[in-house]
């Protein structure tokens, strides 16, 4: 070994170049080895890598490098989820072009990833904003259209009446346009949809096969798909009409105290026809967000129509309201409301003074207890319900459905919460939807030979709205069918479409089609997918849907794209703040601005204390962020990688600390010093260390396969400590060499540097150490040998060695003989597997 310190500043980049030059991490499509496809969710090119990326990609990297070491051909690619709003916002705020902004960001972030030494196959890099990529996406979209999985219909969008533009959901803040501040309205527009509901049953059933997915993610998907069994039935209205409602709780039918319809429901529209107050109320419902979550949390509002509905069992006249919490596109757009057992109905009933009746009680004695502030959603026994009294909830459901079907006023029915996926966005920076609108032919797909439909470069962001719509020439084309003047579709695709198939494109990137099915058969499913829990629902569901849809039209043979899923925890840090004396608002300071002592923290600028706040996810707004570049510059890539793996289980939050990263940097140097002691010529045995070495290799392999990186790290610390303490021997040298191989996936730069210094070449290509199964079993014990009660020697012997043998071995020891100084042994006390005491 040459240098006495490992110098990451020079070594890191040297090895990164060596891997690049040797194309070490390029996946070989024609390899005969077993294959592993390791994938981390590709980043949005926001401009800089943040610490969460570092954690996610380090985990994937360790697994990918480990799989290579155990002899797999590994596909570990990287790309960019490059379309989306932030680029347009930057264009509007800074006057830069979204394309240029995005490409600059990609260049920056790619350099950052390279500087961290990730074992990525950069030859397969892709960005979803490349026409090569989105053109193939357009081709797939046309295939799905031909198969009837794409359609157009009217649906509500957020409309900013001042800026005269459609807003994305994230541009609606508290019901107002983010730029104009105007109250947002719901507007109907013709939009494109993907028929995900056709696969609802299959997407649900498939969850059962995903036994290497976190239970919580499967549950979230199940809830999102939301299959529910219920009853659809008709109320006779006082005006002679019939009103169909859908309920999942027919057992609570005797608790219904009113009926409610959505603002868009025909009954509401009918009432509004001659009633300005009803019209105003319906207009009010149209304001605010369009999402189910927003409707759920908004204040419950109603309008009494004056109509009544006849209860099918009691004949009671229930008032009919128009209510803002009833959705038109779920069930029938109308409900029977049971305030005692549904929170929304409860809130509504309290507000409008409607009866609240308990029809399910924990037990019959509690049938008449007063209500608290909440509806009672729990299970129990049916009360106040005529012929249902005393039944369980399940039995009552069956009884009511039976009566309804028998008497012909209702039908048992399955309803799904999952809606078809609206993919139209009235934005510039996305994949153009490849259709034209012709006055003669209607909606016409762009012929595949004319793909890609490329975004125009010369666009104007100085006025609100969709630049594609305003572009002077782009949308004017000839109809591909009849040649008449036609208009291009100016909607672009939801960026979730781009991320629904990128993992397929990584397996092969032909120029003339989206992918080579043979390569998909070879590489997919992804063996291990790693990403954030924020993608537990939409991204993963859409990717599962696209995979099914493409299989459905015969393009691929694959049902589930991700065999195993891991969702990593967040990196957290304490916050530093002071209160603004004028308004009491917190003012945050970054860790770099703060001097942290054992007892408190001070602002470097003025030396006065700042308050140490909660430990929370690193975020720019709370300024509790550390910059990975700065850490790498100070400590090197291996120290930050090691930190990302240490201490916390990977699914939990990882608290960042300065002491922690410094400890990691010290450990890098400690290993370097240990590696310097490697002596190929050392002789002599150290069976205990040999055993520990083999046991550690075995355990660390299991830990990495299980992604329990923190456990692997702890074991490596332990073996390092034991090796440092051991006397020189062939086994010790072997232990040092083994530690080098064990840390190679985690600290690849240090490992390469040390590997060269012991005369080897490129540890990235080295094999994982083999384990001798015989050494995994702890079949040896250490025996203390005492002379007159004083410890003189130890013996390592097989467990259960007989007394006579132990006595003989003890007497044969040089150290014992020296301690006896020629005296006669009067008595020998032997405790098997523990000790031998010689009394002289
Ligand atoms: C009576 C009832 C009593 C209900 C009770 C619930 C609890 P999930 O389970 O999410 O599918 N509902 C039906 N259609 C609706 C619509 N278009 N807009 C808003 N709410 C609607 O929800 C089904 C329940 O949501 C249905 O069962 C209905 O209220 C309501 F203790 O009927 B329920
Ligand atoms: Zn035409």
């Amino acid at each position: 070994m040459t240098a006495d310190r490992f110098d990451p500043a020079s070594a890191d980049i040297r090895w990164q170049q060596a891997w690049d030059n040797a194309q070490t991490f390029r996946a070989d499509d024609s390899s005969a080895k077993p294959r592993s496809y390791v994938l981390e969710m590709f980043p949005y090119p926001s401009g800089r890598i943040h610490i969460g990326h570092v954690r996610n990609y380090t985990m994937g990297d360790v697994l990918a490098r480990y799989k290579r070491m155990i002899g797999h051909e590994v596909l570990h690619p990287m790309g960019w989820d490059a379309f989306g709003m932030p680029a347009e916002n930057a264009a509007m705020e800074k006057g830069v072009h979204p394309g240029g902004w995005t490409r600059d960001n990609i260049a920056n972030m790619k350099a950052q990833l390279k500087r961290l030494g990730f074992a990525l196959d950069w030859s397969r890099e892709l960005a979803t904003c490349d026409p090569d990529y989105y053109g193939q996406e357009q081709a797939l979209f046309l295939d799905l259209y031909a198969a009837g999985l794409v359609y157009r219909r009217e649906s509500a969008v957020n409309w900013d009446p001042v800026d005269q533009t459609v807003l994305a959901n994230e541009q609606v803040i508290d019901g107002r346009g983010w730029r104009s501040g105007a109250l947002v309205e719901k507007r109907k527009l013709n939009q494109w949809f993907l028929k995900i509901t056709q696969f609802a049953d299959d997407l649900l059933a498939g969850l059962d096969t995903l036994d290497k997915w976190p239970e919580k993610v499967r549950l979230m998907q199940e809830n999102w798909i939301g299959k529910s069994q219920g009853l659809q039935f008709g109320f006779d209205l006082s005006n002679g009409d019939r009103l169909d409602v859908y309920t999942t709780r027919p057992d609570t039918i005797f608790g219904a105290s009113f009926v409610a319809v959505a603002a868009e429901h025909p009954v509401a529209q009918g009432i509004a026809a001659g009633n300005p107050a009803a019209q105003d109320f319906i207009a009010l419902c149209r304001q605010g967000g369009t999402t189910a979550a927003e409707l759920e949390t908004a204040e419950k509002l109603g309008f009494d129509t004056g109509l009544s509905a006849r209860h099918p069992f009691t004949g009671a006249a229930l008032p009919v309201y128009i209510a803002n919490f009833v959705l038109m596109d779920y069930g029938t757009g109308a409900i029977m409301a049971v305030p005692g057992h549904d929170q929304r109905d409860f809130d509504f009933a309290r507000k409008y003074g409607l009866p609240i009746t308990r029809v399910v009680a924990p037990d019959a004695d509690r049938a008449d207890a007063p209500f608290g502030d909440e509806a009672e959603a729990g299970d129990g026994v049916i009360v106040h319900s005529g012929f249902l009294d005393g039944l369980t909830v399940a039995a009552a459901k069956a009884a009511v459905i039976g009566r309804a079907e028998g008497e012909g006023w209702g039908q048992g029915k399955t309803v799904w919460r999952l809606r078809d996926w609206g993919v139209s966005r009235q934005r510039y920076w996305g994949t153009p939807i490849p259709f034209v609108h012709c006055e003669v032919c209607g909606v016409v797909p762009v012929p595949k030979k004319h793909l890609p439909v490329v975004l125009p470069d010369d666009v104007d962001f100085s006025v609100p709205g969709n630049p594609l719509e305003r572009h002077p020439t782009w949308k004017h084309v000839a109809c591909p069918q009849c040649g008449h003047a036609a208009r291009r579709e100016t909607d672009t695709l939801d960026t979730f479409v781009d991320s629904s198939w990128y993992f397929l494109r990584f397996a092969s990137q032909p120029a003339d089609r989206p992918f080579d099915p043979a390569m998909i058969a070879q590489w997919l499913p992804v063996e291990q997918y790693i990403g954030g829990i924020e993608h537990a629902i939409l991204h993963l569901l859409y990717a599962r849907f696209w995979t099914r849809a493409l299989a459905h039209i015969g393009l691929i043979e694959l049902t589930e794209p991700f065999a195993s899923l891991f969702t990593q925890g967040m990196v957290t840090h304490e916050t530093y703040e002071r209160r603004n004396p004028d308004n009491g608002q917190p003012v945050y300071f970054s860790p770099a601005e703060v001097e942290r002592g054992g007892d408190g923290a001070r602002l470097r600028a003025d030396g006065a204390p700042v308050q140490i706040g909660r430990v929370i996810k690193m975020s720019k707004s709370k300024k509790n962020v550390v910059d990975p570049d700065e850490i790498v510059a100070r400590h090197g890539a291996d120290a930050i990688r090691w930190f990302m793996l240490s201490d916390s289980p990977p699914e939990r939050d990882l608290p960042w600390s300065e002491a922690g990263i410094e400890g990691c940097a010290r450990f890098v140097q400690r290993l370097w010093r240990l590696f310097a002691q490697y002596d190929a010529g050392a002789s002599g045995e150290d069976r205990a260390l040999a055993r520990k070495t083999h046991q550690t290799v075995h355990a660390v392999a299991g830990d990495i396969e299980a992604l329990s990186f923190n456990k692997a790290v702890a074991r490596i610390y332990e073996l390092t400590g034991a090796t440092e303490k051991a006397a020189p021997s062939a086994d010790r040298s072997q232990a040092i060499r083994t530690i080098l191989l064990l840390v190679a996936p985690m600290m690849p730069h240090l490992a390469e540097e040390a590997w060269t210094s012991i005369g080897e070449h490129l540890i990235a290509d080295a094999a994982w150490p083999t384990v001798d199964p015989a050494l995994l079993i702890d079949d040896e014990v250490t025996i203390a040998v005492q002379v007159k009660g004083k410890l003189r020697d130890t013996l390592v012997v097989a467990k259960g060695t007989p007394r006579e043998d132990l006595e003989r071995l003890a007497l044969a020891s040089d150290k014992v003989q020296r301690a006896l100084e020629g005296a006669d042994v009067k008595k020998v006390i032997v405790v098997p597997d523990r000790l031998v005491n010689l009394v002289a």
Side-chain angles (χ1 to χ4, degrees), residues 438 440-441 479 481-482:
C438 167
V440 184
C441 316
C479 168
Q481 234 159 55
C482 72

Side-chain angles (χ1 to χ4, degrees), residues 120 181 277 375 401 440 502 574 771 802:
L120 293 162
I401 294 174
V440 184
Y502 78 106
E574 53 188 24
V771 171

Side-chain angles (χ1 to χ4, degrees), residues 796-810:
V796 178
V797 298
K799 228 183 211 164
T801 301
R803 288 166 177 277
E804 315 79 68
D805 289 359
L806 290 177
E807 193 175 325
R808 200 163 350 99
L809 285 165

Side-chain angles (χ1 to χ4, degrees), residues 228 246-249 252 326-327 330 335 341-342 344 417:
S228 64
Y246 173 73
T247 175
T248 47
R249 296 291 305 274
T252 64
V326 182
L327 306 166
Y330 187 61
I335 62 164
H341 305 285
D342 181 284
R344 297 161 296 181
R417 169 170 292 133

Side-chain angles (χ1 to χ4, degrees), residues 203-452:
L203 286 165
L204 185 65
L207 292 174
D208 286 339
T209 67
L210 297 174
D211 54 346
K212 292 186 196 154
W213 279 41
E215 182 58 38
K216 108 184 129 183
V217 174
R218 289 195 282 167
L219 196 67
M220 285 161 91
Q221 296 229 339
E222 185 181 328
N223 290 338
W224 188 263
I225 296 168
K227 182 179 188 173
S228 64
Q229 224 78 43
L231 172 70
Q232 182 168 322
F233 72 94
F235 279 110
D236 289 326
L237 295 186
S238 49
N239 66 0
D241 286 348
R242 239 176 116 75
L243 174 65
D244 268 347
V245 299
Y246 173 73
T247 175
T248 47
R249 296 291 305 274
D251 54 301
T252 64
I253 192 164
F254 283 88
S257 61
F258 65 99
V259 167
V261 300
E264 301 87 350
H265 194 282
V267 166
Q269 300 293 328
I271 292 291
N275 186 334
Q279 282 164 19
D280 289 350
F281 181 76
I282 290 171
L284 183 69
C285 290
R286 210 173 284 141
Q287 289 170 5
T290 53
T291 66
E294 280 166 315
L295 291 174
E296 197 80 23
T297 50
E299 191 194 352
K300 309 287 169 288
L301 297 174
F303 180 88
D304 189 347
T305 63
L307 296 172
S308 66
R310 190 176 174 281
H311 192 286
F313 290 121
T314 66
L318 308 178
V320 178
Y321 283 81
I322 305 170
N324 67 341
F325 67 91
V326 182
L327 306 166
M328 190 54 218
D329 58 359
Y330 187 61
T332 63
I335 62 164
M336 72 162 186
V338 183
H341 305 285
D342 181 284
Q343 192 58 43
R344 297 161 296 181
D345 303 350
F346 185 93
D347 297 342
F348 192 93
R350 278 274 156 97
K351 177 159 182 166
Y352 293 101
L354 296 158
I356 302 178
T357 318
R358 180 182 290 102
V359 290
V360 181
D363 53 68
D365 298 346
R366 304 248 283 279
D368 298 306
F371 270 95
D373 279 341
E374 277 179 20
E376 299 176 2
D379 204 353
V381 54
I382 305 293
V383 296
H384 300 313
S385 295
F387 74 101
L388 299 176
D389 280 357
L391 294 182
T392 62
V393 164
K397 279 184 183 170
V400 172
I401 294 174
R403 279 280 290 268
E405 289 183 346
E407 293 167 10
W409 49 268
Q411 269 285 286
K413 215 179 158 187
T414 302
V415 168
W416 302 82
R417 169 170 292 133
L418 186 67
R419 299 276 85 105
D420 276 341
W421 175 14
V423 292
S424 278
R425 297 293 179 271
Q426 290 72 35
R427 314 252 49 111
Y428 165 71
W429 195 232
T431 299
I433 296 178
F435 283 85
V436 299
H437 301 276
C438 167
E439 272 175 31
V440 184
C441 316
V443 176
V444 181
V446 173
K448 277 198 182 171
K449 61 176 189 292
H450 293 162
L451 297 183

